[in-house]
Amino acid sequence: MALLTQWIPRWFNSIKLNSFITSTQLRNCFPRPGKTLLHEFSAQPRMSSDNFFLQWGFKTYRTSSIWNNSSQSTISIRQEINSAQNTMLPSVNEQSLKTQKIPNFDSELSLEGLDNVPPLSPLQPISEEEAVQIIADPPLPPVSFTLRDYVDHSETLQKLVLLGVDLSKIEKHPDAANCLLRMDFEKDIKQILLFLKDLGIEDNQLGPFLTKNYAIFSEDLENLKTRVAYLQSKNFNKADITQMVRNAPFLLNFSVERLDNRLGFFQKELELSVKKIRDLVVRLPRLLTGSLEPVKENMKVYRLELGFKRNEIQHMITKIPKMLTINKRKLTETFDYVHNVMSIPHHIIVRFPQVFNTRLFKVKERHMFLAYLGRAQYDPAKPNYISLDKLVSMPDEVFCEEIAKASVQDFEKFLKTL
């Protein structure tokens, strides 16, 4: 290696200056002489009889340099160099046979220089034919007041729409809409859907359910399973839980502690058995999710303002659970008309609490028509007795034929006179 190190400079010095790349050629090839070009390349050593240009076989940076000429060279040194060439480097004749075509430095530079070509500017004009061939996706709006603008860009929204979710109702809540846009269907949505399916929610019920309770996607799956397990521990069977979740979509959003407190409140306030409390919340699961203030207020109204006894209240609410959450004004107005105008006592109202679940104008119209016909008799101890149940539950055709003993046309004519 030491001998080769000494020979190489002498070998280059012995070659004529016109056989190398001139400084003028270097200036034409390199935009900035004397500075390193940052283009990597890899090539094999190539030599010819006319132009000796060595390209190293490993990646490096090309630098421009001009070797200095030496003033003297001896024949003995030439012979030594020739012998070294035969052993260390391929001869000129052998290399010329292998390489028939002399490499063009300018062509190589032009190919390598393609990396330096800047990309096309978006402001560069193009032809109409090229413009027609461009297919661009519609831009995603940075700000929008509707989720409809994002459906084409969000797999989550697309699949929710296919399930029947009404996005127009969810977008009224900006926080919920933004949360859905950030969710991944496979990671955040799919597991909740499978949980609801296992719970018993049908495919055609998922859309309305998720439209109301889109917040369930923010709940932890293990917490949801824990709440179902709690209801099962209170002897709610799977059918009961499915019915409760379907009718009260937010039921599983509440913690176990809150559900337990609600059940304890109704058992204490209504003084009912555990079984009756369970039947009550299955029929009206909103008792576990809604406010307790209407319940407390109605219980006071039944006892203090309307004069019902505790056992009478218990009987009515077990038959019509909605009486616990009914509007106070409607409750008092209905009772006032039925009790004071129709002269129906408390014990009969207790037997037919459906009257509180009926629109008051319907009760008024039918009572006034019966009074006009002389058939408004609500005492079960007297003839031609008419129960409150039949008065409020029958359709107009049956009411007119069986109760009023009149035609529907007569009833409609009477209503026009009011």
Side-chain angles (χ1 to χ4, degrees):
M1 292 297 295
L3 180 61
L4 178 62
T5 305
Q6 296 175 359
W7 285 343
I8 290 178
R10 297 176 182 177
W11 174 62
F12 276 110
N13 289 333
S14 64
I15 302 174
K16 294 181 180 181
L17 182 62
N18 57 6
S19 64
F20 287 88
I21 301 175
T22 63
S23 59
T24 304
Q25 290 174 327
L26 290 175
R27 283 195 298 269
N28 293 335
C29 295
F30 294 92
R32 295 182 181 179
K35 292 189 177 181
T36 302
L37 296 181
L38 301 179
H39 294 284
E40 296 182 354
F41 69 96
S42 176
Q44 298 296 327
R46 295 179 181 177
M47 299 177 63
S48 66
S49 59
D50 296 330
N51 184 9
F52 292 96
F53 180 71
L54 180 63
Q55 294 179 323
W56 302 102
F58 54 88
K59 290 187 176 182
T60 181
Y61 295 113
R62 292 202 306 269
T63 58
S64 62
S65 61
I66 302 177
W67 297 88
N68 296 323
N69 294 326
S70 177
S71 61
Q72 294 180 353
S73 62
T74 62
I75 299 175
S76 61
I77 294 177
R78 289 176 181 272
Q79 293 175 351
E80 292 176 358
I81 293 175
N82 290 334
S83 63
Q85 286 178 333
N86 293 331
T87 57
M88 302 301 295
L89 296 172
S91 64
V92 174
N93 294 330
E94 293 176 353
Q95 187 67 24
S96 61
L97 293 176
K98 295 180 181 179
T99 306
Q100 298 296 332
K101 184 178 180 180
I102 299 175
N104 190 338
F105 184 79
D106 293 336
S107 63
E108 292 182 5
L109 182 63
S110 62
L111 293 177
E112 295 166 359
L114 291 177
D115 294 338
N116 277 337
V117 177
L120 294 177
S121 171
L123 301 180
Q124 182 177 353
I126 60 176
S127 63
E128 294 184 1
E129 293 76 9
E130 294 175 336
V132 172
Q133 297 176 356
I134 296 177
I135 301 176
D137 295 331
L140 186 66
V143 178
S144 178
F145 294 99
T146 175
L147 288 174
R148 181 177 55 187
D149 296 336
Y150 299 94
V151 172
D152 293 338
H153 307 275
S154 172
E155 179 188 7
T156 298
L157 295 182
Q158 292 173 8
K159 292 187 176 181
L160 289 178
V161 170
L162 293 177
L163 288 174
V165 178
D166 190 349
L167 297 181
S168 64
K169 294 183 179 179
I170 298 179
E171 66 190 16
K172 296 178 181 178
H173 309 276
D175 293 339
N178 291 331
C179 183
L180 283 182
L181 286 175
R182 293 191 296 267
M183 286 185 175
D184 181 83
F185 185 85
E186 294 294 331
K187 296 180 180 180
D188 305 319
I189 306 294
K190 186 176 180 178
Q191 57 181 355
I192 301 297
L193 296 178
L194 294 176
F195 167 77
L196 294 175
K197 287 282 293 179
D198 293 339
L199 197 61
I201 305 299
E202 301 295 335
D203 292 343
N204 59 350
Q205 298 169 346
L206 284 174
F209 178 89
L210 297 175
T211 300
K212 295 179 181 178
N213 187 17
Y214 46 82
I216 197 172
F217 294 129
S218 302
E219 295 289 335
D220 183 75
L221 183 60
E222 294 302 321
N223 290 338
L224 296 176
K225 294 180 179 180
T226 301
R227 293 159 193 170
V228 172
Y230 167 77
L231 293 175
Q232 292 174 341
S233 69
K234 295 299 180 179
N235 294 326
F236 291 94
N237 57 43
K238 184 177 181 180
D240 293 338
I241 297 175
T242 302
Q243 180 179 343
M244 293 167 64
V245 172
R246 186 187 303 118
N247 295 332
F250 294 97
L251 178 65
L252 295 181
N253 292 45
F254 296 100
S255 64
V256 171
E257 292 76 13
R258 178 166 181 173
L259 295 176
D260 189 68
N261 290 337
R262 286 298 180 92
L263 291 174
F265 166 80
F266 287 110
Q267 188 171 2
K268 180 180 179 180
E269 182 72 19
L270 304 180
E271 298 181 358
L272 295 173
S273 65
V274 175
K275 184 180 182 305
K276 288 185 178 180
I277 291 294
R278 184 166 55 247
D279 295 339
L280 190 69
V281 297
V282 169
R283 296 169 61 190
L284 190 64
R286 292 200 308 272
L287 294 174
L288 299 179
T289 60
S291 173
L292 293 178
E293 293 305 318
V295 177
K296 297 177 180 179
E297 187 174 11
N298 284 350
M299 291 298 293
K300 293 179 180 179
V301 171
Y302 288 129
R303 290 195 301 265
L304 302 178
E305 296 185 25
L306 305 185
F308 289 101
K309 300 176 182 180
R310 179 170 292 276
N311 62 334
E312 293 176 335
I313 298 174
Q314 292 174 340
H315 177 78
M316 288 190 296
I317 62 177
T318 52
K319 293 189 67 175
I320 309 294
K322 195 176 179 180
M323 289 183 63
L324 287 171
T325 58
I326 194 173
N327 180 269
K328 178 184 175 181
R329 179 179 178 181
K330 178 183 179 181
L331 178 62
T332 55
E333 288 181 351
T334 301
F335 176 82
D336 179 69
Y337 189 84
V338 173
H339 182 67
N340 297 323
V341 177
M342 299 173 62
S343 302
I344 299 179
H346 283 75
H347 68 278
I348 295 181
I349 296 177
V350 171
R351 291 173 57 189
F352 305 104
Q354 298 91 333
V355 68
F356 291 105
N357 202 29
T358 307
R359 295 181 180 180
L360 181 57
F361 76 88
K362 183 177 181 179
V363 177
K364 289 182 178 181
E365 290 175 350
R366 293 190 174 186
H367 168 70
M368 294 174 66
F369 185 59
L370 291 176
Y372 173 77
L373 298 175
R375 303 184 62 85
Q377 208 287 97
Y378 308 108
D379 187 354
K382 297 180 180 180
N384 301 322
Y385 164 69
I386 299 176
S387 69
L388 284 178
D389 182 27
K390 293 182 178 180
L391 179 69
V392 300
S393 62
M394 291 183 174
D396 288 343
E397 293 79 5
V398 179
F399 166 75
C400 293
E401 181 179 354
E402 297 184 4
I403 305 300
K405 307 298 182 182
S407 65
V408 177
Q409 291 76 13
D410 293 336
F411 182 51
E412 292 175 350
K413 289 180 181 179
F414 173 78
L415 293 178
K416 293 179 181 180
T417 62
L418 297 179

